Amino acid sequence: MKKFNLLSLAVAGMLALCVFGCQKKEAATTADTKQDGISASVKSQISGLGFSTENARKVEGGYLVEGDILLSEANLTEKAETTHLSVASTEQYRTTNLVKALPRVITISVTNLPTVYSDAVNAMITRYNNLGLRFTFQRAAAGTTGQINVIGFNEGPSGGFITLGSSGFPTASGNPYSEIKMNTNPAAYGANPNLLYLTSVLQHEVGHCIGFRHTDYSNRAYSCGGTAVNEGASGVGAILIPGTPSAPDAASFMLACSNGGDRTFNANDVKAINYLYK
């Protein structure tokens, strides 16, 4: 989710798919360290954590992978557990770190973004809070910065990709990732962003902030089309949820790519979130 982003992909004459913020703008090449700014040793660390290095790039604060996931230098050296969360044949994956000190309230603020983004944050909060989890989200008091701060950036398309948004994973101390970046460039959401689509992108990015990976981690071609990318063995391990289906799950809110519409929690997403946080 992941990152939810819009990504234009020409696939066999079909219309372009829309990638979630997780898969926004990515560099066109990855093999050349001079172009992506990432050394071979860092790429090895990224792969060792179970993330694809395809189109990974060096950005402020770390490395952007899978289009919308920010890995910090600290993330690259963290030791992982031996479990992961699996749903269906395309699986729900969690990260090593999860939000701790539950029950708790997590505050969210919006900084210097148009009203529609603020309204989408409110709608996203309602979607999560309706699940009855051991944490609840609420807007931070006016003039204060929340534990998750939603900010804007303006970045046009590059190499056929447009980044919708990005975020990261919980800290080792058990706090949610503290920042979500949303693209305000008209190429991302248009001149008049759709409230429900913004809400779904934010919902996906918050999914990363509380510890969820992309549902189609093992084969992102499932939602994105193109060449199948298997990200290899994951350092986070796996915990299979009993009773989940074996068929591919086409509607998960954490799929790497979207059709650009409103995507919220499906039944398997709810099972996965409840497993961790209810």
Side-chain angles (χ1 to χ4, degrees):
M1 156 350 14
K2 236 119 20 359
K3 338 148 130 156
F4 299 34
N5 331 25
L6 283 176
L7 168 60
S8 297
L9 294 174
V11 180
M14 301 294 290
L15 292 177
L17 292 174
C18 292
V19 181
F20 277 105
C22 304
Q23 304 168 10
K24 312 297 181 181
K25 172 188 172 246
E26 301 181 32
T29 61
T30 58
D32 189 345
T33 299
K34 293 181 180 178
Q35 291 181 327
D36 61 23
I38 305 177
S39 68
S41 62
V42 168
K43 288 182 178 180
S44 178
Q45 289 176 296
I46 292 172
S47 296
L49 290 175
F51 293 92
S52 173
T53 59
E54 183 180 17
N55 297 325
R57 59 192 175 100
K58 183 75 173 70
V59 297
E60 181 181 358
Y63 304 91
L64 196 67
V65 301
E66 298 181 15
D68 74 332
I69 300 173
L70 180 65
L71 295 178
S72 68
E73 295 287 352
N75 292 146
L76 297 183
T77 58
E78 286 176 350
K79 291 185 177 180
E81 298 175 352
T82 59
T83 59
H84 78 239
L85 186 62
S86 175
V87 175
S89 62
T90 52
E91 300 168 332
Q92 271 287 7
Y93 288 85
R94 49 156 284 191
T95 56
T96 302
N97 300 324
L98 295 174
V99 176
K100 301 176 182 177
L102 303 173
R104 66 187 291 182
V105 174
I106 300 170
T107 58
I108 302 180
S109 55
V110 180
T111 301
N112 297 327
L113 281 169
T115 300
V116 67
Y117 289 81
S118 181
D119 291 342
V121 167
N122 291 337
M124 175 275 297
I125 287 173
T126 297
R127 290 184 180 185
Y128 273 98
N129 287 351
N130 283 343
L131 297 177
L133 305 173
R134 286 181 292 155
F135 62 78
T136 56
F137 291 119
Q138 72 177 31
R139 287 293 294 264
T144 66
T145 300
Q147 293 169 314
I148 299 175
N149 189 31
V150 182
I151 64 173
F153 70 100
N154 189 321
E155 181 178 86
S158 176
F161 294 83
I162 178 71
T163 299
L164 296 181
S166 65
S167 60
F169 295 130
T171 65
S173 60
N175 290 316
Y177 189 74
S178 62
E179 186 174 82
I180 294 172
K181 294 182 177 180
M182 297 290 286
N183 197 352
T184 59
N185 191 284
Y189 300 105
N192 297 296
N194 178 272
L195 174 64
L196 293 179
Y197 184 50
L198 284 178
T199 300
S200 69
V201 173
L202 284 160
Q203 183 178 338
H204 178 101
E205 297 304 336
V206 166
H208 288 314
C209 291
I210 63 173
F212 280 95
R213 298 273 306 266
H214 293 142
T215 304
D216 47 350
Y217 155 100
S218 60
N219 181 5
R220 287 192 294 143
Y222 175 71
S223 68
C224 301
T227 304
V229 177
N230 188 317
E231 297 167 11
S234 170
V236 297
I239 302 172
L240 176 65
I241 300 178
T244 54
S246 59
D249 193 354
S252 172
F253 86 115
M254 291 306 297
L255 283 173
C257 295
S258 167
N259 63 3
D262 179 27
R263 173 175 279 158
T264 187
F265 306 112
N266 72 5
N268 289 326
D269 295 329
V270 173
K271 288 180 182 179
I273 294 172
N274 286 347
Y275 185 89
L276 296 182
Y277 289 119
K278 194 162 188 178

